[in-house]
Amino acid sequence: MSDVTDTTHDASTRPITSRRDPRYEVVMYRHVGVEGAHTLDYYRSHGGYEAARKALSQMSPSQVIDEVKASKLRGRGGAGFPTGVKWSFMPPVDGRQRLLVVNADESEPGSFKDRYIMEDDPHQLIEGMIIGCYAIQATKGMVYIRGEYVKGYERLVGAIREARQAGLLGRNVLGTDVEVDITVHRGAGAYICGEETALMNSLEGLRGNPRLKPPFPAQAGVYGLPTTINNVTTMTSVVHIVSRGADWFASMGTEDSKGTKLYQVSGPVERPGVYELPMGATFRELIYDLAGGPKEPAKGFFPGGSSTPPLPWTDEYLDLPMTYDAMAKSGSMLGTGGVIVIPREKDIVSAMYNVVRFYAHESCGKCTPCREGIATWLPKMYQKLLAGLGTREDLSLIEDMVRNNRGTAFCPLADACAMPVQASFKWFRDEYEYIVDNGKPMYTKSDWWQA
Amino acid sequence: MKVHINDVAMDFPQGTSVIDAIFAAGYDVPYFCSQEYMSPIGACRMCLARIGAPRKDKEGGWILDEATGEPKIFTFPNMMATCTTQVMEGMVVDTLSEDVKRIQSGMVEFTLINHPLDCPVCDKGGACELQDRSYEYGTGVSRFEFDKRHQEKHHPLSEVITLDRERCIHCKRCVRYFEEVPGDNVLDFIERGGHTYIGTFDPGLPSNFTGNITDICPVGALLDATSRFRGRNWEYKHIRTTGMDDASGSAIMVDGRTGRIERIKAALNPDINKTWIDDGTRFGHEYADAPDRLTTPLLRKDGELKAATWEEAAAFITERLGGMSGKDVGIAIRADATLEEGVAAKALAEALGTGQLDHAPRPAASVIPAQDPATFTDLATSDGILVVGDVTEEVPIADLRIKDAMKGVTPPELMPHGVPIADLRLKEHPQLKRAILTVAAPYRVDLMKHAGQTVRYPAGGEAALFGALTKLAEHGGERVDGEPAGEGQAGASLDDGERAALGMPYEDAAALVRRLKDAERAVVVYGGFVLATRAAAEAANAFAKAVQAKVMILGPMADSYGLELLNVGPSHERYAYPAMLTEAKALILSNLDPGQDPDVRRALQDKELLVVHDSFLTDSASVADVVLPAKSVYERDGTTVNLEGRFLGVHAASVESGESEDFVGLVGRLGEALGQRLEGRSVRSARRVLRKRFELDPAELSPAGRLYRPKTRRQARVAIVSHEAFDGNLLVTPSMVRIEYLTRNPHLERVVEGARLRMHPDDAALNGVADGDAVRLRVGGVLRRAVVREDDTVPPGLMLLPCLPDQPVGLVQADLTTLTREERALEVAG
């Protein structure tokens, strides 16, 4: 069942929602995997920095914002907020330093699209940041990259140095009177620092705890200054929107989810990895056509990272288009588009314990429901189930406990754990009941670390 | 804006938090992380409620409910933390439905998961917010059956505060307190998630205001070490009274049990100390229960002091007095005596016919400003402050009120339930407006680290500093390019001496003057260093007048202002204290110990009569003819007047101290023996005098106290002999911790590590002493015991030593030839 909106029967004006469509072209990921693609010379010889030149010399900042608005680009970090609208939240220029922060923390399990951009195509990110800084009239860009991405950090810093030497960053970008410079800040191993307000606290040197909103970053961000925060591939999308036009971008995707997007597949499939697709493509196309399909029978999948509720492996869900609206209607979320395939032989209780352990470890500890519920109680409940000591009452207890975690915590991390747990109960309750009734899991395969 | 809390509709100003609206409406929700006078953060998630509000459409009108025609209420998708949500027009708040109750009990259950079942051994039991909220909002049973996390228990965070990390519920009140109130960031969370615990990087919490965290901690994680395991909260008798350790008049709660004071906590006074007290006031109570307290009068018989009755002692005194002229008797009381004790002293002096009456320490200059004194509220809302001295030691609460001014948040309006629980104007990590504060002192003081401008002037240079500043102020404070002003040129010309006296570059001084003049509510704060000479005080007052600033004077002790107001003073300069010690033939001294100077002690022995009224057998008492046991500051009923001129009630806690009396009781007893009904023979009779004199009733004073502003000019006070040219090699400095009781306050003694004699390392080498040495030194004659502290921020050639009532703040001469290390017998042998 496809959610493609057919405005006419004319094939040339129908939106592009599949890689099979001959009009579709991979633009963001075309250099990834190519030896030497991270250098300035390579990037330039493939049309690099022409979009930035166009924006800085032929458009005004507000025209750039309008173009991004018209493209209907939605943020690629998981929340899917319209980027042009977010940029227009910045207050009028008033003399205070303005900042563009790029969230390269990428700690969502199942997401690894930003990594290869920074490793193999850092100049694409830099170009996007130049355009973004120009649009919101910020002279400083800051990249917050997760500490674990060492290669990405080194490549990015190297690329910035190249860009500075070539006059692409600094006082007079591309010979104009626009000033943009970029610094890179490494994180130190906290998923919560991917949450934008905790990221800002971390940038300031404070504990990585989220902040109250309001005030929003545009009003009071890093050091209280007007700040816009975007994901890595939101910035790279901007490069192509400026280069080829909002109409081109909007010609791909569905009514609510436009453009080209990087999706990821992990788990036991033939070809796990990152795949660029137009929005509106289905899970089936991603998992089977591009990733070669599962290597063994599968029973479910996370559609967009471990924070999104898992869905069963049925035609109904596999044929859903990978868009924000379709996913919301299905009872899950698109998130970062990082599909994680759950093989049948992986007991769901064990799989969910793995997920819960992650959130327990990453909880920042600020608020009570997450610190005590998610980080302390929930993993212990799963340990009890997996030790064969669980009871039916324990299942009700888990369900009650995560219900108390829904919507009560300070930030969405608790929901990011609670919702998948609830979905696992909805779709795979039989496995939970089996383990408490029999004292051992329904699926006992446990040696998963195999090539 | 109109808000509906359950079935109650009320109006609230914009910016009110929903939790305050709820309490104002008479309902309640649980909360742990909110705290009066601190930022709301929404961390504990206990205060969640179901909230809805109407919305406006594009045209600006309310979206209406089709059925009722009223504005439609859109319920927020999630429950909202009421502490961080502002009221909106037409908002509807539900705190009673089953949904809300379920979440409340869910949050209680979560909070209790890792909390140890310590109630039977935890000092907080009975006064514990977690106990109370669990009882009110929990289900009574926890379903958590696993091992709780284990952390360090009874960790000594400092000498006076114990931390139990397991009990912590991570409300962050202590962390935010330190950052937002004194601005000393000494505590923080360490680690994350379920492993988070409270810790510190600086050993021993370096701050004068650490004890307040034991008040605000909602559980028994942070506890007062002086009262650890001393009693259960419901056994304590709580007496609200006024702290008498400094001139602030801070409200305190004295917790006592079985005739002992176990603990002092802060009490609320929004106009003075809000809900904070300093560590000297809080932890300095142990001396009241010291085992060597005098409990009976002592009479010298056959050369030895022996226990006697009050009748015997009073008869002895009366008999001796009968053999001499009354005018040869000197009477001196300490400056933290109550007004009633002042009345009693005056009555006794009048009955004896002597003009030798005084209270001590009494500085050379008046502690009552000529214009109405600045109040703490004036200080807290000021936009330009000059501090001369060390306010953090002298009147610590003034330091906190200055920081209020720097945060730029005016005192909150009180609501029906009192101080707002969640004042949304307060934010975490507040930015202080440092530019409004200038701190000047002869050495580095703590407040300097927050000031926009700091000035180090030479010790004793207060008169010259203010003189130069006044000159600048009167000439418009305009800079004249460093050159003397020419003919017809606007600008001040300062000679080289005046420039040197500034302790700062000319431009900075001119900027300071300009800043204070431009300020609409400027305040000049000064204390003992300026009060030490008339010249300095006059110069300071002239400066304040020139820049149109209010003045706040930090008097030496709790009732300095009141006793001066009452004119408890001599009829002539030569009868003032300490001059009366030589002048009088008989002396009645209350809580003063001039015998700490060995020469004075010898002279005292020759007096015809020496009566010492004190709580302990001091140096003076040991040579007295009569020693009378004195009540401590906690045991007196009376009235005191703080540095604002505010009358405050003092209420006695019950302390087992034998037959101790305050000076009112002493005068009552003496009066009986003399056969006279003296005014001030009882608190009630003393109050008759006060009622008449001040037109207010001390017995009817509200806890907030009452500002007194006289309608007529006061009579001139008789000054003490003062040195106009101030010289010396040692600066006696103000001290939050009372040195006279240090050895009997063992916890505080460990905090400050003894009376510190601070000196530059070069001076230490010159004098053959080293950091940590216990030493003796004659300072202005007084024999002082101290511990050497080498400190390279102390100017070479000057030493610093904290004050005593008998050695007030100011420059004195220390005889360095008498500086000797206290050797212990073992050391000498080894």
Side-chain angles (χ1 to χ4, degrees):
Chain A
M1 175 193 77
S2 193
D3 198 24
V4 174
T5 310
D6 239 325
T7 48
T8 71
H9 291 293
D10 182 353
S12 65
T13 58
R14 225 186 301 137
I16 304 166
T17 57
S18 163
R19 212 152 128 150
R20 287 188 293 269
D21 193 317
R23 299 171 289 163
Y24 181 74
E25 203 188 321
V26 168
V27 291
M28 282 195 289
Y29 239 54
R30 56 202 161 132
H31 305 307
V32 170
V34 176
E35 176 90 22
H38 61 281
T39 63
L40 180 58
D41 284 339
Y42 178 96
Y43 191 65
R44 272 195 146 144
S45 66
H46 288 77
Y49 288 106
E50 287 309 310
R53 187 184 304 281
K54 177 180 175 186
L56 265 55
S57 51
Q58 294 172 28
M59 302 165 78
S60 71
S62 56
Q63 280 173 327
V64 177
I65 295 181
D66 287 339
E67 191 75 9
V68 172
K69 269 187 183 163
S71 75
K72 301 221 182 139
L73 168 68
R74 290 171 73 158
R76 299 300 195 226
F81 192 87
T83 305
V85 176
K86 184 189 266 193
W87 285 5
S88 65
F89 285 161
M90 288 291 269
V93 174
D94 59 11
R96 287 183 302 160
Q97 175 71 57
R98 297 155 77 85
L99 298 165
L100 175 72
V101 172
V102 170
N103 187 343
D105 193 58
E106 190 160 67
S107 300
E108 178 76 16
S111 306
F112 38 91
K113 56 178 171 63
D114 300 337
R115 170 180 182 171
Y116 297 107
I117 295 283
M118 291 184 287
E119 287 182 8
D120 284 359
D121 204 355
H123 283 284
Q124 196 184 169
L125 172 60
I126 294 170
E127 185 173 9
M129 288 181 74
I130 293 170
I131 299 171
C133 283
Y134 179 67
I136 65 170
Q137 298 176 278
T139 56
K140 268 188 169 37
M142 298 162 124
V143 179
Y144 186 97
I145 183 172
R146 67 179 287 180
E148 293 90 333
Y149 281 176
V150 180
K151 185 170 171 188
Y153 172 74
E154 287 169 354
R155 289 276 172 90
L156 186 56
V157 166
I160 289 172
R161 212 171 279 134
E162 283 186 302
R164 276 202 204 109
Q165 278 170 345
L168 296 158
L169 287 174
R171 279 268 156 76
N172 303 98
V173 177
L174 288 164
T176 67
D177 56 14
V178 174
E179 180 185 343
V180 174
D181 206 346
I182 300 175
T183 51
V184 183
H185 179 102
R186 294 180 68 199
Y191 168 69
I192 188 63
C193 287
E195 196 278 330
E196 66 174 12
T197 61
L199 190 155
M200 292 194 294
N201 270 350
S202 178
L203 268 179
E204 289 186 26
L206 301 169
R207 272 177 72 84
N209 287 3
R211 297 176 181 179
L212 287 166
K213 284 198 290 200
F216 291 87
Q219 271 57 57
V222 179
Y223 296 119
L225 302 166
T227 307
T228 295
I229 305 180
N230 286 127
N231 176 261
V232 170
T233 53
T234 308
M235 301 315 304
T236 57
S237 303
V238 162
V239 173
H240 304 285
I241 289 168
V242 169
S243 171
R244 294 167 198 239
D247 289 339
W248 161 84
F249 195 80
S251 73
M252 297 178 281
T254 64
E255 200 46 50
D256 69 281
S257 304
K258 294 264 178 225
T260 175
K261 177 173 159 47
L262 298 174
Y263 294 88
Q264 304 113 99
V265 189
S266 57
V269 292
E270 290 296 336
R271 292 183 296 277
V274 183
Y275 296 97
E276 185 171 351
L277 286 157
M279 296 204 77
T282 64
F283 287 104
R284 190 179 297 281
E285 181 176 345
L286 171 66
I287 299 171
Y288 283 91
D289 293 357
L290 294 168
K295 286 203 284 206
E296 52 182 281
K299 64 186 172 191
F301 67 103
F302 289 86
S306 66
S307 300
T308 60
L311 296 165
W313 196 271
T314 62
D315 290 340
E316 181 188 345
Y317 291 102
L318 288 169
D319 286 320
L320 280 177
M322 300 187 288
T323 64
Y324 297 102
D325 267 11
M327 292 319 306
K329 283 203 192 86
S330 75
S332 185
M333 291 148 43
L334 181 60
T336 54
V339 172
I340 307 173
V341 173
I342 310 172
R344 192 177 60 204
E345 290 296 311
K346 174 69 178 180
D347 194 84
I348 204 68
V349 181
S350 165
M352 290 314 298
Y353 175 56
N354 219 14
V355 170
V356 165
R357 257 190 349 156
F358 171 76
Y359 292 100
H361 184 67
E362 298 294 338
S363 166
C364 80
K366 173 170 187 164
C367 75
T368 303
C370 185
R371 184 187 64 244
E372 308 294 343
I374 301 293
T376 308
W377 204 355
L378 198 50
K380 289 191 198 280
M381 291 303 296
Y382 272 86
Q383 284 166 4
K384 186 180 179 190
L385 297 184
L386 289 165
L389 300 169
T391 65
R392 290 274 180 140
E393 285 74 37
D394 287 328
L395 296 185
S396 312
L397 179 54
I398 292 177
E399 287 179 297
D400 196 38
M401 188 207 310
V402 296
R403 201 158 63 111
N404 282 347
N405 269 304
R406 287 293 306 276
T408 60
F410 188 89
C411 86
L413 191 149
D415 283 308
C417 181
M419 282 161 49
V421 168
Q422 285 179 320
S424 73
F425 270 78
K426 175 176 173 187
W427 299 114
F428 305 102
R429 200 192 179 85
D430 54 333
E431 293 189 46
Y432 282 100
E433 289 177 350
Y434 186 98
I435 201 172
V436 301
D437 291 343
N438 296 284
K440 58 180 170 59
M442 197 152 128
Y443 298 97
T444 53
K445 180 170 148 89
S446 62
D447 51 345
W448 291 95
W449 297 101
Q450 285 174 324
Chain B
M1 31 189 66
K2 186 158 244 66
V3 177
H4 302 263
I5 317 285
N6 300 318
D7 57 345
V8 172
M10 278 177 78
D11 276 302
F12 295 102
Q14 180 166 37
T16 308
S17 60
V18 176
I19 195 172
D20 278 314
I22 291 171
F23 276 83
Y27 286 102
D28 50 69
V29 284
Y31 64 91
F32 289 128
C33 63
S34 285
Q35 173 68 32
E36 285 90 347
Y37 296 120
M38 283 165 44
S39 65
I41 60 167
C44 70
R45 314 312 283 179
M46 296 289 301
C47 67
L48 265 45
R50 180 72 70 199
I51 302 183
R55 279 195 212 146
K56 291 209 162 120
D57 58 28
K58 283 203 196 65
E59 284 79 49
W62 293 122
I63 299 173
L64 298 177
D65 185 328
E66 277 150 25
T68 64
E70 295 293 310
K72 181 168 175 179
I73 302 298
F74 293 86
T75 308
F76 295 128
N78 287 336
M79 297 233 188
M80 308 291 284
T82 54
C83 62
T84 48
T85 309
Q86 273 195 46
V87 295
M88 292 159 64
E89 180 64 48
M91 184 182 260
V92 172
V93 180
D94 154 36
T95 68
L96 297 176
S97 64
E98 284 310 308
D99 259 1
V100 176
K101 287 201 197 306
R102 179 177 57 81
I103 289 297
Q104 286 170 343
S105 69
M107 292 302 126
V108 168
E109 190 178 31
F110 282 144
T111 309
L112 289 170
I113 279 175
N114 276 313
H115 192 78
L117 284 174
D118 279 356
C119 296
V121 299
C122 174
D123 276 351
K124 203 77 175 180
C128 173
E129 292 182 53
L130 181 59
Q131 278 184 337
D132 291 346
R133 300 296 93 74
S134 303
Y135 189 78
E136 293 157 5
Y137 296 98
T139 56
V141 184
S142 173
R143 298 171 292 178
F144 183 82
E145 55 178 340
F146 304 104
D147 269 355
K148 294 168 184 263
R149 77 164 187 278
H150 289 295
Q151 297 266 15
E152 201 180 338
K153 299 181 80 71
H154 54 78
H155 169 83
L157 210 54
S158 72
E159 293 291 343
V160 287
I161 297 181
T162 311
L163 165 66
D164 187 311
R165 291 185 164 131
E166 282 188 359
R167 297 176 188 167
C168 174
I169 58 169
H170 307 88
C171 69
K172 210 180 178 185
R173 280 181 186 173
C174 56
V175 174
R176 279 148 54 221
Y177 162 78
F178 274 122
E179 184 166 29
E180 297 171 27
V181 181
D184 301 316
N185 298 9
V186 293
L187 275 188
D188 205 352
F189 283 134
I190 298 178
E191 295 266 357
R192 74 169 185 232
H195 307 286
T196 314
Y197 63 91
I198 285 291
T200 175
F201 294 113
D202 305 295
L205 296 184
S207 164
N208 274 3
F209 306 97
T210 63
N212 291 310
I213 59 176
T214 64
D215 281 347
I216 63 177
C217 179
V219 296
L222 292 164
L223 291 171
D224 181 330
T226 65
S227 66
R228 194 157 175 252
F229 300 146
R230 295 299 309 170
R232 300 307 254 155
N233 284 299
W234 57 87
E235 294 174 336
Y236 288 139
K237 195 144 184 233
H238 311 284
I239 304 286
R240 189 205 152 99
T241 178
T242 303
M244 297 292 279
D245 287 326
D246 63 34
S248 68
S250 297
I252 60 172
M253 190 70 80
V254 177
D255 289 347
R257 180 177 168 264
T258 66
R260 285 180 55 98
I261 295 176
E262 300 297 357
R263 180 175 64 191
I264 304 227
K265 296 164 66 95
L268 170 69
N269 190 326
D271 298 318
I272 298 179
N273 61 306
K274 295 155 72 176
T275 49
W276 317 123
I277 54 174
D278 60 272
D279 287 353
T281 301
R282 181 185 295 273
F283 300 117
H285 62 82
E286 296 183 289
Y287 75 93
D289 299 296
D292 61 337
R293 271 214 48 188
L294 300 173
T295 52
T296 69
L298 301 173
L299 208 46
R300 193 171 292 280
K301 297 176 186 158
D302 306 316
E304 265 187 53
L305 284 171
K306 298 209 171 79
T309 63
W310 271 95
E311 286 73 27
E312 285 179 287
F316 178 87
I317 295 170
T318 319
E319 194 226 308
R320 275 290 172 89
L321 288 176
M324 68 172 78
S325 170
K327 64 179 173 49
D328 288 327
V329 180
I331 303 169
I333 59 174
R334 198 165 65 184
D336 62 349
T338 60
L339 283 183
E340 287 81 352
E341 290 180 286
V343 168
K346 284 182 77 155
L348 181 62
E350 196 180 309
L352 292 172
T354 175
Q356 303 198 55
L357 164 71
D358 209 351
H359 65 276
R362 184 164 66 93
S366 166
V367 302
I368 301 178
Q371 282 8 81
D372 284 347
T375 63
F376 282 115
T377 303
D378 289 332
L379 190 60
T381 54
S382 172
D383 53 350
I385 304 173
L386 167 64
V387 172
V388 177
D390 188 357
V391 72
T392 317
E393 291 285 331
E394 203 151 11
V395 177
I397 289 301
D399 170 310
L400 298 185
R401 301 318 309 268
I402 289 172
K403 284 163 183 162
D404 281 344
M406 291 164 73
K407 279 184 283 199
V409 179
T410 54
E413 295 282 321
L414 293 184
M415 300 188 72
H417 51 281
V419 179
I421 294 163
D423 186 343
L424 290 167
R425 300 172 303 159
L426 299 169
K427 309 259 189 272
E428 271 193 287
H429 321 301
Q431 297 296 317
L432 295 183
K433 290 189 284 188
R434 295 159 59 105
I436 69 169
L437 175 64
T438 300
V439 176
Y443 55 97
R444 190 184 67 185
V445 303
D446 192 68
L447 191 57
M448 282 179 173
K449 66 179 187 266
H450 298 283
Q453 180 184 40
T454 66
V455 180
R456 297 273 292 270
Y457 62 87
E462 291 80 10
L465 166 66
F466 275 117
L469 284 174
T470 308
K471 206 161 169 188
L472 272 180
E474 283 165 355
H475 287 84
E478 294 297 315
R479 192 214 144 139
V480 193
D481 293 328
E483 296 295 301
E487 280 292 294
Q489 250 185 317
S493 72
L494 296 185
D495 60 41
D496 290 337
E498 285 165 331
R499 274 168 194 260
L502 287 173
M504 61 184 130
Y506 183 101
E507 298 76 45
D508 293 350
L512 165 62
V513 168
R514 230 186 344 260
R515 193 162 51 242
L516 290 175
K517 277 189 158 186
D518 290 345
E520 285 165 14
R521 301 173 297 279
V523 178
V524 172
V525 181
Y526 66 78
F529 295 142
V530 172
L531 290 170
T533 65
R534 265 199 294 273
E538 276 163 15
N541 293 332
F543 176 68
K545 197 159 171 202
V547 296
Q548 295 184 299
K550 283 194 164 176
V551 175
M552 175 175 279
I553 301 180
L554 312 176
M557 290 192 100
D559 202 15
S560 294
Y561 194 112
L563 293 172
E564 183 179 325
L565 201 61
L566 195 58
N567 202 15
V568 178
S571 58
H572 189 279
E573 206 176 64
R574 68 170 183 274
Y575 296 148
Y577 185 97
M580 73 159 74
L581 292 173
T582 1
E583 197 62 36
K585 298 203 176 92
L587 288 165
I588 303 176
L589 304 175
S590 174
N591 288 311
L592 290 166
D593 190 15
Q596 288 175 95
D597 180 335
D599 297 330
V600 172
R601 187 162 72 247
R602 268 188 290 276
L604 286 176
Q605 280 176 303
D606 293 337
K607 295 293 171 194
E608 286 185 33
L609 172 66
L610 177 60
V611 179
V612 172
H613 176 228
D614 207 306
S615 302
F616 301 102
L617 198 65
T618 58
D619 290 336
S620 309
S622 64
V623 298
D625 300 305
V626 186
V627 182
L628 301 171
K631 285 188 167 175
S632 73
V633 296
Y634 307 104
E635 300 159 53
R636 293 179 276 160
D637 277 315
T639 315
T640 184
V641 185
N642 77 347
L643 53 74
E644 299 171 299
R646 189 185 300 265
F647 277 64
L648 294 158
V650 180
H651 305 281
S654 102
V655 177
E656 183 49 63
S657 55
E659 300 177 50
S660 301
E661 298 276 10
D662 64 0
F663 207 76
V664 170
L666 184 155
V667 165
R669 303 272 198 171
L670 263 189
E672 272 168 29
L674 286 170
Q676 303 191 32
R677 279 174 67 80
L678 298 170
E679 276 177 346
R681 65 186 175 281
S682 69
V683 170
R684 220 172 52 180
S685 85
R687 283 183 172 166
R688 269 195 286 269
V689 175
L690 295 174
R691 263 199 295 276
K692 200 158 153 215
R693 168 82 177 78
F694 297 113
E695 289 169 9
L696 56 76
D697 190 351
E700 299 291 313
L701 276 176
S702 78
R706 187 150 128 203
L707 277 178
Y708 174 78
R709 297 283 176 257
K711 297 188 196 82
T712 55
R713 275 203 63 71
R714 295 177 292 114
Q715 64 181 114
R717 68 196 274 284
V718 174
I720 69 167
V721 175
S722 100
H723 319 275
E724 289 316 310
F726 223 27
D727 207 2
N729 61 352
L730 185 144
L731 189 57
V732 179
T733 60
S735 170
M736 173 189 73
V737 169
R738 293 179 77 152
I739 302 297
E740 63 269 28
Y741 296 129
L742 194 61
T743 53
R744 297 185 177 91
N745 279 330
H747 284 88
L748 274 183
E749 186 177 27
R750 286 196 291 273
V751 170
V752 297
E753 295 168 332
R756 273 180 268 195
L757 178 65
R758 290 161 58 193
M759 64 182 78
H760 194 275
D762 293 349
D763 287 324
L766 214 61
N767 286 286
V769 293
D771 196 275
D773 282 349
V775 296
R776 285 196 306 271
L777 176 64
R778 295 280 304 263
V779 178
V782 177
L783 179 61
R784 297 292 307 261
R785 293 194 155 72
V787 175
V788 173
R789 277 282 162 261
E790 290 182 31
D791 185 343
D792 57 13
T793 68
V794 178
L798 185 73
M799 295 190 186
L800 308 178
L801 187 65
C803 63
L804 288 170
D806 280 283
Q807 181 143 69
V809 169
L811 259 186
V812 291
Q813 193 65 30
D815 184 354
L816 291 174
T817 64
T818 66
L819 180 63
T820 44
R821 300 220 321 267
E822 308 242 62
E823 315 267 18
R824 283 182 294 235
L826 284 173
E827 266 176 47
V828 174

